[in-house]
Amino acid sequence: MKSISIGILGLGTVGSGVVQILTEHAGLLENRVGAPLRIKRIAGRGEARIPLAPHLYTRDLMEVVRDPEIDIVVELIGGTDIARTACLEALNRGKHLVTANKALLAEHGLEIYRVAAANRVDLGFEASVCGAIPILRSVREGLVGNSIRSIVAIVNGTSNYILSQMTDSGGRYGEMLAEAQAQGYAEADPTLDVDGSDAAHKLQILSSVAFRGYVPFEAIYVEGIQGIDPADIGFARELNCTIKLLAIAKEEGGVLEVRVHPTLIPQSHPLASVGGIYNAVHIVGDSAGPLVFSGLGAGQKPAASSVVADIVEIAHNILFFRPSRSSLLPTNAIESVMRVKPMENVLCRYYLRVTALDSPGVLSAVSHVLAENGISIASMIQKGRAAQAAVPIVMLTHEAVESAMRRALETIDRLEVVAARTVCIRVEGMEE
Ligand code: HSE
């Protein structure tokens, strides 16, 4: 019986997890595939971290990519430089590719998809979005008969952990980030996690699969969680809400809005109780209605679980369908580019915290600016009395257009009675 030969690039956390699953579950996987899966070569940097037969291991990535016996190359080195070169070389050599590299796909996906299609090979990337959650497979196959209406998702475990800790303990952002790093959740350089870029990479991939058209990465609006203040977490609680970093994609009339930003959601929202390092995707299909998928979005075995699922599907295709089927490639995303609504035109509700002097006429000055810009206040909290000192005025608005809100904020922050920059957080999932 033909065995399927696998070459692995990168023996870090996820790479070691993949080797473990392929080894520990060799018998089970052989049964499910219909042939043995054989690890032919592994390339890594430095000494191998796990015990391996010496002939399996090399420090030269290209030795693996160019090995004529290898059927499937699994790229787990990350980054967009060496990884891109190695992936393109593997595809051009007719090898199927599995990758967990969200930055590579979000920023160079079109090139990678096109080269894979031209070479009639498969490309699996389930592990690039939400770790263990089989979200791409579910959307591509389980929801194939649906037109997707919206995706609202928590796709970055590190920022979800930081916000959950701030909510539970009242701590400040910097302290909770340090705790996430100490726990090993945040990357050594956590910038991509906390500034929203990692979430935007995942949203680019997920929305391109779900809405069946390529979503340009540059078109995604991105804001991170670095500015979230414990005061806003406290006010959100008073409003029966919580703050999450959400990745949002909504389609209307063939135009998509795609955005990542901190968001106020009601406690009753299905994503409100998703805490810690967990990820969750709330997706609405026109026939299926709303669905929620949740699980571990990162970690050795959770990510490796999705990598192995792609290896098995591709092995199955090689054995039974090749070369007529390339089931994993988002061909739709190669053929059409989605139209994206400019952020200035997006309509949503807002939470505002204005820091203003507690003197007569302040409220009417602020509400006058909002009214002038067509923005209507839905509810308001004013705390404390402090003659000649600044106090917070918290408001929830009805739906407003982003450009009107930006204009209003510029004017409000120039008012003499306003003592600090107004905090503005978008709201999701709250009935009008
Ligand atoms: N750094 C990511 C996160 C995990 O915190 O969710 C890998 O995608």
Side-chain angles (χ1 to χ4, degrees), residues 17-352:
V18 170
V19 172
Q20 274 177 38
I21 296 180
L22 291 178
T23 310
E24 284 163 14
H25 285 331
L28 172 157
L29 291 169
E30 179 174 343
N31 264 330
R32 292 178 185 175
V33 171
L37 297 177
R38 177 169 71 111
I39 300 177
K40 172 82 195 320
R41 292 311 295 281
I42 302 172
R45 279 190 305 195
E47 296 301 315
R49 293 197 214 166
I50 50 173
L52 289 175
H55 69 277
L56 284 181
Y57 191 72
T58 172
R59 291 188 196 172
D60 181 358
L61 293 178
M62 288 305 169
E63 246 184 61
V64 176
V65 170
R66 291 181 186 143
D67 185 326
E69 284 181 25
I70 286 175
D71 300 296
I72 305 173
V73 168
V74 180
E75 183 273 308
L76 301 168
I77 42 186
T80 55
D81 191 10
I82 301 166
R84 175 171 160 269
T85 309
C87 286
L88 291 173
E89 174 86 17
L91 296 170
N92 278 322
R93 284 175 179 266
K95 300 192 186 307
H96 304 276
L97 179 68
V98 174
T99 177
N101 193 331
K102 59 233 156 173
L104 179 68
L105 292 174
E107 292 169 25
H108 301 281
L110 212 43
E111 178 187 31
I112 304 269
Y113 300 152
R114 283 184 173 147
V115 173
N119 287 286
R120 300 178 69 85
V121 289
D122 248 333
L123 172 65
F125 46 98
E126 184 66 69
S128 65
V129 180
C130 295
I133 307 174
I135 188 65
L136 299 181
R137 196 162 262 103
S138 302
V139 169
R140 196 181 54 238
E141 294 176 12
L143 298 177
V144 67
N146 284 253
S147 177
I148 301 300
R149 298 283 191 233
S150 65
I151 295 171
V152 177
I154 295 170
V155 293
N156 184 267
T158 305
S159 50
N160 199 43
Y161 176 83
I162 293 170
L163 292 175
S164 304
Q165 291 294 101
M166 287 177 76
T167 303
D168 294 345
S169 72
R172 305 194 70 81
Y173 166 77
E175 297 158 8
M176 297 306 133
L177 169 60
E179 196 181 309
Q181 284 173 305
Q183 298 277 347
Y185 297 143
E187 312 279 338
D189 174 4
T191 316
L192 295 183
D193 288 319
V194 297
D195 76 357
S197 308
D198 176 81
H201 286 147
K202 292 166 181 166
L203 183 61
Q204 191 283 333
I205 298 166
L206 177 56
S207 56
S208 294
V209 171
F211 296 97
R212 306 198 180 243
Y214 192 74
V215 177
F217 179 63
E218 311 68 47
I220 301 177
Y221 175 81
V222 189
E223 237 178 70
I225 62 165
Q226 304 97 318
I228 297 295
D229 190 287
D232 299 305
I233 304 246
F235 284 123
R237 185 180 287 118
E238 284 191 43
L239 294 162
N240 284 326
C241 289
T242 189
I243 299 176
K244 296 285 185 191
L245 181 73
L246 294 187
I248 298 172
K250 295 180 181 178
E251 193 266 344
E252 207 185 328
V255 181
L256 206 60
E257 58 178 69
V258 267
R259 46 194 169 103
V260 171
H261 50 68
T263 316
L264 215 82
I265 53 173
Q267 296 282 8
S268 56
H269 191 283
L271 300 187
S273 57
V274 177
I277 56 168
Y278 276 79
N279 282 192
V281 181
H282 181 267
I283 184 162
V284 181
D286 61 346
S287 303
L291 298 113
V292 181
F293 298 82
S294 73
L296 288 169
Q300 183 173 57
K301 287 288 186 74
S305 161
S306 285
V307 170
V308 171
D310 281 344
I311 293 174
V312 168
E313 180 158 353
I314 293 174
H316 213 253
N317 285 350
I318 294 171
L319 290 168
F320 303 109
F321 298 105
R322 197 182 183 188
S324 60
R325 193 177 127 149
S326 183
S327 62
L328 294 166
L329 257 188
T331 31
N332 51 292
I334 303 172
E335 287 152 11
S336 66
V337 175
M338 289 297 297
R339 283 171 57 210
V340 175
K341 189 189 272 191
M343 189 60 194
E344 297 75 43
N345 297 352
V346 165
L347 193 69
C348 71
R349 298 187 65 179
Y350 295 87
Y351 159 98
L352 302 178

Side-chain angles (χ1 to χ4, degrees), residues 360-374:
V362 169
L363 262 183
S364 81
V366 172
S367 53
H368 178 72
V369 175
L370 291 172
E372 263 184 338
N373 286 282

